[in-house]
Amino acid sequence: MAFPDVRPRRLRRTPALRRLVAETDLAPRQLVLPIFVREGAGEPVAISSMPGVVQHTRETLKKTAAEAVAAGLGGVMLFGIPEHKDALGSGAVDPAGILNLAITDVVAEVGDQLTVMSDLCLDEFTDHGHCGVLDSDGRVDNDRTLEAYDAMALAQAAAGVDLVSPSGMMDGQVASIRHALDAEEHTGVGILAYSAKYASAFYGPFREAVDSSLSGDRRTYQQDPGNRIEGVREAKIDVAEGADIVMVKPALGYLDVLSAVRQAVDVPVAAYNVSGEYAMVEAAAERGWIDREPAILETLTSIRRAGADIVLTYWALEAAALLQR
Ligand code: PBG
């Protein structure tokens, strides 16, 4: 019997050899923790569809931000859950709105030690739950929504955010926000654009996390899950409009899009390991069907391997601790 003279297993023989030839790094600095902050909450509120994740109070938010610094995370992504919603999502623009207060709180707590990012979208603030304002026929009005996004960007910049993160998939949102920020001399505030964001069932648990009011779907603005070329196009458009970082979302079902986007642009690329991806692993682990910690690290490593420079994940703090071991 002829033996193979090509033996890739040689480089897998010891942990030291495997470490030497590892192609993909996973480090805390590459991880971003999404954080939910609930207006008026006296205590953290559990999210049943996302075991281990809570809606924070302003106090526990600050504590979590300090933990993120200690863990060496790359940053935090803030989401606000207001007590009152209206058709225009006015809470998003109000300097005393929960998200803007959360930004102020976190910046006061961590200063420049952590990159502070904020979701820039109306869906948490509108009573109809859409990412934009509606016209008289009930359709999302792209260009009127841009005006709201501009105002929201300015409120977030005034609160001290490092990166605003438009996630509403309106056409022209990056250019519009960039222009608004620059006109008010916020040239140092960056834009992390949710560029290729798909209309995904994997956002399900998030909708509970933010008490979403949405009925129906977002298919007139978020992308069709089957479209890769369009995802790359969206990312290129956003770079041309001034995005500093582009994002693909969700991550796991879209690793091919992530890889294609990484090759197509010359800015950092982020991926969002979304709520449904988190919940699937947690649920399987709870039943003893999957080995939780290796599954978490494999998930994040795979997203990195596909091309993400930055990974948003609800496991950020825990993964950082696992990587420290
Ligand atoms: C919109 C937004 C969503 C998520 C992040 N930003 C929900 C949506 O588009 O319906 C989903 C995040 C997740 O599922 O973890 N502001």
Side-chain angles (χ1 to χ4, degrees):
M1 182 169 117
F3 279 93
D5 43 20
V6 179
R7 294 181 182 270
R9 284 187 57 202
R10 256 183 222 128
L11 296 181
R12 301 178 199 140
R13 191 172 53 85
T14 67
L17 276 163
R18 294 197 291 274
R19 189 172 69 231
L20 177 69
V21 300
E23 294 179 38
T24 306
D25 276 319
L26 182 63
R29 70 166 186 94
Q30 297 152 342
L31 304 178
V32 172
L33 178 70
I35 307 181
F36 304 109
V37 193
R38 186 190 182 102
E39 185 173 19
E43 280 181 64
V45 181
I47 302 163
S48 64
S49 54
M50 300 176 74
V53 180
V54 300
Q55 298 174 338
H56 281 279
T57 69
R58 288 178 65 188
E59 275 314 307
T60 64
L61 162 69
K62 284 193 264 186
K63 219 179 122 250
T64 306
E67 285 168 17
V69 173
L73 296 190
V76 290
M77 174 68 76
L78 304 177
F79 293 92
I81 304 147
E83 263 173 337
H84 306 288
K85 305 182 185 192
D86 60 31
L88 298 177
S90 357
V93 175
D94 183 350
I98 184 62
L99 181 53
N100 297 320
L101 292 177
I103 295 167
T104 312
D105 287 345
V106 171
V107 171
E109 181 73 25
V110 303
D112 282 346
Q113 295 174 280
L114 189 69
T115 301
V116 180
M117 316 173 198
S118 49
D119 189 51
L120 199 169
C121 191
L122 291 180
D123 64 319
E124 281 96 41
F125 297 92
T126 50
D127 50 16
H128 46 73
H130 275 293
C131 293
V133 294
L134 305 182
D135 65 18
S136 49
D137 298 323
R139 281 189 274 256
V140 175
D141 184 333
N142 194 91
D143 296 12
R144 270 185 59 225
T145 298
L146 296 184
E147 292 169 25
Y149 286 179
D150 291 354
M152 196 173 177
L154 292 177
Q156 295 183 350
V161 82
D162 293 307
L163 300 173
V164 295
S165 309
S167 65
M169 291 298 284
M170 294 301 126
D171 292 336
Q173 62 185 11
V174 172
S176 183
I177 290 167
R178 185 71 269 158
H179 185 79
L181 288 170
D182 291 352
E184 297 293 326
E185 290 173 23
H186 291 299
T187 52
V189 174
I191 300 177
L192 187 168
Y194 286 66
S195 300
K197 180 172 180 180
Y198 290 85
S200 173
F202 292 91
Y203 306 149
F206 176 94
R207 306 254 164 107
E208 180 193 331
V210 300
D211 295 349
S212 172
S213 318
L214 184 71
S215 61
D217 61 55
R218 306 197 196 283
R219 289 178 192 278
T220 71
Y221 41 105
Q222 296 181 346
Q223 287 181 250
D224 184 323
N227 292 2
R228 182 178 65 233
I229 295 165
E230 187 188 14
V232 175
R233 177 173 187 234
E234 283 279 10
K236 286 181 171 166
I237 291 171
D238 282 358
V239 172
E241 289 186 17
D244 299 283
I245 302 175
V246 295
M247 183 147 74
V248 174
K249 179 186 175 187
L252 290 184
Y254 299 83
L255 295 181
D256 59 325
V257 180
L258 181 55
S259 171
V261 166
R262 180 54 293 172
Q263 286 177 40
V265 301
D266 57 3
V267 298
V269 176
Y272 200 138
N273 175 213
V274 299
S275 57
E277 299 169 355
Y278 174 89
M280 286 194 297
V281 171
E282 292 294 334
E286 198 183 285
R287 286 162 179 72
W289 292 352
I290 201 169
D291 192 359
R292 186 173 172 281
E293 291 179 353
I296 292 171
L297 293 178
E298 184 177 332
T299 296
L300 300 177
T301 301
S302 297
I303 296 168
R304 287 267 305 129
R305 189 199 64 237
D309 303 294
I310 300 164
V311 185
L312 280 76
T313 175
Y314 300 101
W315 289 307
L317 281 173
E318 187 177 352
L322 292 176
L323 292 169
Q324 235 53 261
R325 286 202 206 137

